[in-house]
Amino acid sequence: MAENEIAAAEPAAPENPLRALGAAIAAAAGGIVTDVSILRGAELVLHAQRNALPVLMTLLRDDPRFAFEQCMDICGVDWPERAERFEVVYNLLSLAHNQRLRVVVTTDADSPVPSIAGIYASATWYERETWDMYGVVFAGQVDLRRLLTDYGFEGHPLRKDFPLTGFVELRYDEELKRVAYGPVQLAQEFRNFDYLSPWEGMTTLPGDEKIHLNRLEGPA
């Protein structure tokens, strides 16, 4: 290359639009957003401070740069080994920009998560289901009725340490002539193990009666 020749600049790599969106939200939300990541190359995920969740959700809904007008669903994830074992996951949709966003906050069994039912009306049912299945409490949510307790159910079934068999069962008592509760009895036939192989378990085949008789009495 000659001394006075100017080297051509290499074209800049195009910016990932999801990464740019995550950076813009984090900048607008201040310290509320604690982490921004992109999963599988196409899923934008924000981790946020639990107590400031309503502020972040209001920003995501009302700021025209983001316009996430709809909360599509809320779900939970249980990590029993963590101090804050539950993740509450919010999936948002922007019809204006054709974009999706996942917001994640963490909590334990005692610390409530601020309700966003006043921001997204659809959150009312999902928060109630998250409480029912995981036991996550939502502060400000006035409709945390449980469906499963209507049937005498105790506990939250989607916790990973939830007992699989339960302790009581419901049956119709013929003597009492009514439905009654009682201890669980695993009476299914497939649970009565004899610990024998099929060859050991079948001691007499059809037509072998004469052979067994000879073994007992000895050959004639």
Side-chain angles (χ1 to χ4, degrees), residues 83-129:
E84 293 193 341
R85 59 183 289 180
F86 299 112
E87 287 184 344
V88 183
V89 182
Y90 302 82
N91 291 309
L92 307 182
L93 172 65
S94 170
L95 293 175
H97 301 299
N98 191 24
Q99 290 175 323
R100 296 180 183 273
L101 171 66
R102 187 173 304 148
V103 178
V104 181
V105 298
T106 61
T107 187
D108 53 31
D110 301 319
S111 303
V113 176
S115 173
I116 62 166
I119 303 170
Y120 295 103
S122 62
T124 299
W125 174 258
Y126 295 123
E127 289 178 350
R128 180 179 169 184
E129 285 291 286

Side-chain angles (χ1 to χ4, degrees), residues 142-206:
V142 298
D143 190 15
L144 287 183
R145 291 172 296 164
R146 295 201 63 194
L147 294 175
L148 296 175
T149 52
D150 294 344
Y151 305 96
F153 199 93
E154 296 182 2
H156 303 277
L158 290 188
R159 290 188 180 187
K160 289 185 177 178
D161 51 6
F162 184 79
L164 296 181
T165 59
F167 302 104
V168 295
E169 63 182 9
L170 191 65
R171 59 182 174 81
Y172 180 77
D173 190 298
E174 187 63 33
E175 295 181 357
L176 298 176
K177 301 298 180 184
R178 64 174 174 80
V179 173
Y181 288 94
V184 169
Q185 297 180 2
L186 302 178
Q188 297 95 332
E189 184 179 357
F190 69 89
R191 293 182 183 277
N192 296 328
F193 304 108
D194 57 10
Y195 300 105
L196 295 175
S197 72
W199 300 106
E200 295 168 327
M202 185 175 290
T203 56
T204 302
L205 294 174

